[in-house]
Amino acid sequence: MCAALVGALAALVVASAELEDYCGRTEPSIEALAPAALAGLELAAVGVVTRHGARAPAKRSSCWPGFDPDAIGWTCARPAEKHELDGLRFALSYAGTPSTIGERSGCAAGQLLDEGRSQHRALGRALRAAYVGESAAVGALLPDELPLFGETGLALRSSSLERAIVSGEELVAGLVNASARAFRRDARRAIPWTVGEPDFEFIYPNAKRCPRLSELEAAAATSFARDPEASAFDARTRAALEFAMGGGELATLRGNGALDCLAATSCQSAVDTGAALPANLSGALATDAWAAIQAYEAHLLSHDRAAWSRLAMGALGHQVLQHARSAVEGQLGRPKFALWSAHDTTVMPLMAALGVHDGRWAPYAAHFVFEVWRQSGAPPARAHGATPAPGVAPATKGARVRLLYMGRAITARLPGCADAGALCAYEQLEAALAPWSLPLDEWLAKCEPTQHERAARGVWLRAAAPVSYTHLTLPTKRI
């Protein structure tokens, strides 16, 4: 039996407990560090990669015969018009006319729920408790009353989907304690936010931008089908769902449609009895369906030394690496806190590419955090963005890193860090990132389909201007 399937089955003994975890309703917190582990070190940077909060189904689906999405009481957050929270104004807008999930539902497909907003506001508060002010539980990365300029600034990035944007805004509002502070209501002082154009985005796997991903996904699917026990379990579960449910998208066991039919509906059933799963979807069958959905995804993420994940996250991985390097080198004018507000299909492949994914689907408001620690008082290497002097190696001596997922330390999963203790040598993070994280132009070249793929499908790489990534600050003053 393939390792991904074994792991998924072992982890999914009780469907209700696992689905509850997926809903993301555990109060977030960041695990503290023992003072002894931090001797002679200072927190230089934090990077956070998140999945958006709870949402409506990503598309209108026929989950099973008789399924009525309008019978489910989705409570959707109102689409933002000015992107302003507690006096913080964000310099972006969201355009589009998304489809709805039902004939009468007011929720757009994939729209953030009110619960999703609350999840990310709570996450922002947890990050504030860990990293802001002299009383910070982990390290005083940012001052309590953020001056929001220069080296104390933030780098903010998201996909163009509003659920990711608004989730990120809520997180930032919690991080800077916006509800308790007064800010100038000045449109010229809006908070910059980098958003990718959908067709050319790289913050999530995007076969339009990177056609070779389709080739690698097909190879993973073929490999999965050739595993006798994995494919047999998958086939048995499909047949059982067809028999019990009479068909529908859940029985496909693939993609967001099947996932939403089981997980999103189950999450909503906790607050709306009309959303309960049907009686013929028994606990055992739901367990098997959940295991099968995750097993296939885990195989895709890890197949061939995580080839698909590494390529999908190549450009984003380069941003992560640059943020970490700038901290280790103590570059002047760099941001100390970087946020990538994105999707499950960002968090999972990024972690798989690093070798730290556990095979489970990322829940709503999932958060992968990396901390970079450097020697206290170490001098800066250069100004941020400046080219290093010839022959000068990065100032990595003594630098350490910590990785966390859902607030709990997972540093020991990083290759080379199993016996490192609370913090691991920074070089291990570099070693895990460097083989596959690439500048955008090099990544685009890697994304070009092979000659065989071109001949088979006629797929050609679309040339596009790169999506810019700039280090941004919050140019807002407290009155």
Side-chain angles (χ1 to χ4, degrees):
M1 185 181 292
C2 71
L5 182 58
V6 171
L9 288 172
L12 298 168
V13 178
V14 181
S16 60
E18 287 297 334
L19 289 170
E20 185 177 347
D21 287 344
Y22 177 87
C23 299
R25 291 180 176 138
T26 302
E27 187 68 20
S29 63
I30 304 299
E31 185 177 330
L33 280 163
L38 306 178
L41 297 172
E42 62 183 14
L43 184 57
V46 169
V48 182
V49 184
T50 66
R51 183 191 181 186
H52 55 75
R55 57 160 174 75
K59 66 177 183 177
R60 185 185 296 189
S61 298
S62 176
C63 292
W64 47 77
F67 175 74
D68 180 10
D70 287 319
I72 300 172
W74 307 105
T75 306
C76 290
R78 185 175 181 179
E81 296 178 359
K82 295 183 179 180
H83 289 274
E84 184 174 341
L85 292 171
D86 295 326
L88 296 176
R89 191 187 300 274
F90 297 87
L92 53 81
S93 61
Y94 177 79
T97 54
S99 61
T100 58
I101 58 173
E103 297 296 334
R104 302 179 304 280
S105 172
C107 288
Q111 188 174 346
L112 192 69
L113 305 181
D114 287 340
E115 181 182 21
R117 280 182 175 267
S118 299
Q119 287 169 331
H120 274 265
R121 182 65 71 106
L123 178 55
R125 290 194 294 264
L127 292 167
R128 178 179 177 82
Y131 302 121
V132 178
E134 292 302 317
S135 62
V138 175
L141 180 73
L142 302 169
D144 185 59
E145 292 294 333
L146 282 163
L148 313 179
F149 289 100
E151 209 169 322
T152 60
L154 313 180
L156 307 175
R157 171 77 161 89
S158 76
S159 75
S160 64
L161 293 173
E162 188 173 30
R163 59 182 177 269
I165 295 171
V166 176
S167 291
E169 290 173 349
E170 289 285 356
L171 187 153
V172 171
L175 178 72
V176 303
N177 198 23
S179 60
R181 298 175 64 179
F183 295 90
R184 297 185 184 278
R185 296 176 61 85
D186 185 345
R188 294 172 299 177
R189 305 188 71 81
I191 299 169
W193 193 284
T194 302
V195 178
E197 199 281 322
D199 282 350
F200 308 126
E201 181 60 273
F202 58 76
I203 202 172
Y204 51 74
N206 186 351
K208 289 183 178 179
R209 188 89 195 257
C210 188
R212 190 158 183 264
L213 286 174
S214 298
E215 188 177 354
L216 293 175
E217 184 171 3
T222 299
S223 169
F224 185 83
R226 287 175 177 169
D227 185 299
E229 294 191 63
S231 57
F233 175 76
D234 196 74
R236 285 197 306 271
T237 306
R238 287 173 185 257
L241 286 168
E242 287 281 357
F243 179 80
M245 311 299 296
E249 187 149 7
L250 176 58
T252 68
L253 297 178
R254 297 291 184 268
N256 273 334
L259 179 77
D260 283 346
C261 286
L262 183 61
T265 303
S266 180
C267 289
Q268 191 63 16
S269 69
V271 294
D272 174 21
T273 56
L277 297 173
N280 51 345
L281 186 58
S282 67
L285 183 54
T287 298
D288 285 350
W290 187 232
I293 289 170
Q294 292 197 107
Y296 178 80
E297 190 71 16
H299 184 83
L300 170 64
L301 293 170
S302 61
H303 173 65
D304 190 18
R305 295 180 297 177
W308 181 86
S309 297
R310 288 181 167 207
L311 182 61
M313 295 290 102
L316 177 60
H318 183 69
Q319 291 186 351
V320 169
L321 183 56
Q322 292 303 106
H323 181 62
R325 278 180 178 168
S326 70
V328 168
E329 295 175 1
Q331 293 179 18
L332 298 173
R334 63 182 173 82
K336 291 186 175 181
F337 184 96
L339 169 67
W340 292 268
S341 182
H343 304 270
D344 48 357
T345 51
T346 305
V347 175
M348 295 189 297
L350 178 63
M351 293 179 67
L354 284 167
V356 299
H357 186 239
D358 63 2
R360 300 186 184 189
W361 206 287
Y364 293 137
H367 42 286
F368 171 67
V369 177
F370 61 95
E371 302 167 355
V372 180
W373 299 78
R374 70 192 298 259
Q375 290 182 315
S376 300
R382 63 183 190 276
H384 176 66
T387 303
V392 177
T396 61
K397 184 178 179 181
R400 314 288 283 175
V401 295
R402 184 170 75 136
L403 308 184
L404 304 101
Y405 181 59
M406 302 303 289
R408 307 282 74 85
I410 60 167
T411 314
R413 296 184 197 169
L414 190 68
C417 295
D419 301 317
L423 301 174
C424 189
Y426 168 78
E427 287 84 357
Q428 298 301 331
L429 180 63
E430 282 256 0
L433 280 165
W436 52 271
S437 62
L438 298 167
L440 191 60
D441 55 346
E442 295 180 30
W443 177 72
L444 286 170
K446 279 256 187 185
C447 282
E448 189 169 357
T450 63
Q451 185 175 358
H452 171 75
E453 179 73 359
R454 289 192 191 119
R457 302 189 184 186
V459 178
W460 292 88
L461 181 67
R462 292 182 63 181
V467 177
S468 63
Y469 173 72
T470 54
H471 291 107
L472 306 171
T473 57
L474 292 168
T476 314
K477 289 183 179 179
R478 187 172 184 235
I479 294 175

